[in-house]
Amino acid sequence: MYQIKRVKIGKTPQVEELAHACGEVYTATLVSFWRTVRKKGIWLKPKHLMRWHTSNKLHAHTADACVQAFFASLKSWRERRKTDPTAKPPRRRKWYFRIEYKRSAMRVKNGKLVLSNGKGNEPLVLDWAWTIPQTLVICWTGIEYEAIATYEPCYLPVPENGDKVAGIDLGEIHMAVSHDGEHTYILNGRLLRSKRQYRNKVLAKLQKKIDAKKKGSRRRKKLVRSKQKQLKKLANQIKTIEHQSTSRFISTLQRNGVQTLAIGDVRDIRQDLDVGSKNNQKLHQWSFGSIRHKLTYKAERVGMLVEIQEESYTSKTCPVCGKRRKSPVQGRNFCCTNKACGWKGHRDLVGACNIRYKYRGEMGIPHVVGADMAAPIGLRFMPHIGVARKEKMYLREAAGLRDHAEKSLHH
């Protein structure tokens, strides 16, 4: 696990010159490697080429990173060709290449990050409000250069005497539903679902046009580039929705004092399951692994303990009387089949409750929750609200409500 920070640095002659120098080192490595293979039949190692190819315009470790990047691509090709015989090795020369700085070439001074480019060369200086990162990579985004800094994450310690547990039920319509014994929060996932559906339609439409064109034609190549660009944009939108939604979800649970998350295990849900072509597509595009991963590391950062809980029969068992239904629940509402109970509630709320009970060893035991259980609270995706400092957002919301109440009293 790691954390990254992105800083836009624009386009300057110094960065252009450094990127070109990195491209020269990468290209020299590529040419020397394949020429040696072709003429001598010898596959050189990274240590040989790192001694062979250097640059007087770059820091020694930056030049080494260009050589290592080539061998990383070579290793990726070797792994891929085991399953894809048509995979091609890295053979394309680079006029420009990414600039990578390691910790040995960086120092922070007076709010500036000074990046060394070797003895006798002017360093690259960036405005920097953080500590020294582990690595920093400068790459081209298509519009300008961007610095991507990598940090080791800082995790808060888990409270020793904290016992508030929240059960979390992952779903395809609702990304996650939590219940901590007092409150239930539903993380709405319909926007994420609609993005995936739109992506499928765009992919089908463009692929149909591509298949109708002659292979190698300029029109086909143009359509392929358009498809890649549109799919990348949608993938970034889906990633943003997942990140901001899970951050808000964890911030809400932290504010309520939750110390432990029991996340339902749905990793085997797709095995031997056939529910029709449309539902199969939804299940296979359901990113429960990505959601669980984001919830896990974000919860651990703020000091929560995360456990994976087996969740069999949690959606069929009544949380009040403990009776298990024989048939699956139809629709979004759960209705207990025990006539003496007759409890009704949200289907995903039932799943989250029973996951929590199962983690605590209370599954199937009658609970007095019917009258006291609060209605679920929905959490929606809010694109224009940052997720890094949730506490400030809630303070602003509280201040706004307080001002509104004061104005109402005056009137």
Side-chain angles (χ1 to χ4, degrees):
M1 294 302 304
Y2 55 89
Q3 293 176 315
I4 63 171
K5 294 187 182 297
R6 297 175 181 268
V7 178
K8 305 291 184 181
I9 59 177
K11 183 179 179 181
T12 63
Q14 185 185 14
V15 178
E16 285 274 296
E17 184 179 358
L18 292 171
H20 180 56
C22 289
E24 289 179 337
V25 174
Y26 179 89
T27 300
T29 303
L30 180 144
V31 172
S32 300
F33 179 85
W34 290 118
R35 186 174 291 167
T36 306
V37 171
R38 185 173 66 253
K39 293 187 176 182
K40 302 292 184 180
I42 300 173
W43 290 64
L44 297 174
K45 295 181 179 180
K47 64 180 181 179
H48 300 142
L49 286 165
M50 282 191 288
R51 291 180 181 178
W52 188 354
H53 296 295
T54 59
S55 174
N56 55 7
K57 299 179 182 178
L58 301 172
H59 191 276
H61 292 170
T62 302
D64 290 347
C66 298
V67 178
Q68 292 165 358
F70 168 76
F71 281 93
S73 299
L74 199 66
K75 182 179 179 181
S76 177
W77 164 67
R78 286 171 173 168
E79 290 296 324
R80 185 175 178 181
R81 69 174 179 175
K82 294 178 181 178
T83 56
D84 183 9
T86 62
K88 296 181 180 180
R91 287 186 176 272
R92 182 172 294 181
R93 303 185 183 198
K94 306 288 186 181
W95 188 256
Y96 293 97
F97 197 66
R98 66 175 182 263
I99 313 162
E100 182 174 345
Y101 293 93
K102 299 184 180 180
R103 196 179 183 92
S104 57
M106 294 183 284
R107 61 190 177 93
V108 174
K109 184 177 181 181
N110 300 328
K112 303 286 185 180
L113 181 64
V114 182
L115 305 171
S116 174
N117 293 315
K119 186 176 181 180
N121 297 322
E122 184 182 355
L124 179 63
V125 181
L126 305 177
D127 292 328
W128 206 254
W130 306 283
T131 58
I132 299 178
Q134 295 295 319
T135 60
L136 185 135
V137 179
I138 298 175
C139 55
W140 179 252
T141 63
I143 302 174
E144 61 180 341
Y145 284 97
E146 181 182 49
I148 304 174
T150 305
Y151 289 87
E152 291 183 356
C154 178
Y155 294 99
L156 296 176
V158 178
E160 295 181 357
N161 54 356
D163 59 351
K164 192 169 186 180
V165 179
I168 296 183
D169 182 30
L170 302 178
E172 195 264 333
I173 294 179
H174 299 132
M175 281 191 278
V177 179
S178 71
H179 180 74
D180 58 9
E182 300 177 8
H183 304 94
T184 302
Y185 292 96
I186 297 178
L187 189 59
N188 195 299
R190 291 188 181 274
L191 177 62
L192 185 63
R193 190 184 190 187
S194 68
K195 286 291 182 184
R196 291 201 188 97
Q197 291 173 348
Y198 179 66
R199 179 188 178 280
N200 295 339
K201 292 179 181 179
V202 169
L203 177 60
K205 181 180 177 180
L206 292 175
Q207 194 60 49
K208 184 178 179 181
K209 289 184 178 181
I210 291 171
D211 293 339
K213 302 301 177 184
K214 184 179 179 180
K215 289 187 177 180
S217 65
R218 286 190 295 178
R219 180 59 181 163
R220 182 186 175 95
K221 292 179 180 178
K222 189 175 180 180
L223 286 169
V224 169
R225 288 195 298 269
S226 176
K227 183 186 79 170
Q228 293 172 346
K229 184 177 179 180
Q230 293 186 54
L231 294 183
K232 184 178 180 181
K233 181 179 179 180
L234 288 168
N236 289 336
Q237 291 176 356
I238 289 172
K239 184 178 178 180
T240 299
I241 293 171
E242 290 183 350
H243 267 297
Q244 295 196 8
S245 299
T246 51
S247 293
R248 188 180 182 198
F249 192 67
I250 293 298
S251 297
T252 303
L253 295 179
Q254 182 193 14
R255 195 172 70 253
N256 290 340
V258 174
Q259 287 91 19
T260 305
L261 299 185
I263 303 178
D265 187 4
V266 293
R267 288 175 291 185
D268 298 333
I269 194 171
R270 296 169 180 159
Q271 294 183 2
D272 303 324
L273 184 65
D274 186 5
V275 287
S277 59
K278 289 186 178 180
N279 289 327
N280 284 343
Q281 185 185 50
K282 290 178 183 178
L283 283 175
H284 284 279
Q285 292 186 343
W286 173 22
S287 58
F288 58 82
S290 176
I291 298 298
R292 186 187 68 246
H293 169 70
K294 291 177 175 63
L295 290 174
T296 299
Y297 83 79
K298 290 178 183 181
E300 289 176 347
R301 279 181 184 175
V302 296
M304 294 183 186
L305 178 66
V306 180
E307 300 287 348
I308 303 299
Q309 177 61 50
E310 193 274 330
E311 61 165 25
S312 57
Y313 304 111
T314 53
S315 296
K316 292 184 178 182
T317 305
C318 177
V320 177
C321 66
K323 180 178 174 58
R324 183 189 301 170
R325 290 175 57 102
K326 294 182 179 179
S327 60
V329 180
Q330 301 295 327
R332 304 308 307 168
N333 293 321
F334 175 91
C335 183
C336 182
T337 55
N338 183 3
K339 295 182 179 180
C341 176
W343 184 84
K344 295 181 180 180
H346 195 280
R347 173 182 174 179
D348 293 332
L349 180 151
V350 172
C353 282
N354 285 322
I355 288 172
R356 178 175 178 269
Y357 293 151
K358 202 164 193 177
Y359 176 79
R360 293 165 60 94
E362 303 171 356
M363 179 74 171
I365 301 175
H367 296 84
V368 184
V369 298
D372 300 331
M373 187 179 295
I377 301 171
L379 300 177
R380 291 182 177 272
F381 172 68
M382 304 176 73
H384 301 298
I385 293 181
V387 298
R389 297 182 178 89
K390 280 295 173 184
E391 293 78 6
K392 290 188 176 180
M393 183 192 74
Y394 291 118
L395 290 173
R396 287 198 300 268
E397 290 180 352
L401 292 173
R402 185 171 61 251
D403 293 342
H404 180 72
E406 290 176 356
K407 289 180 181 178
S408 301
L409 289 175
H410 287 307
H411 287 301

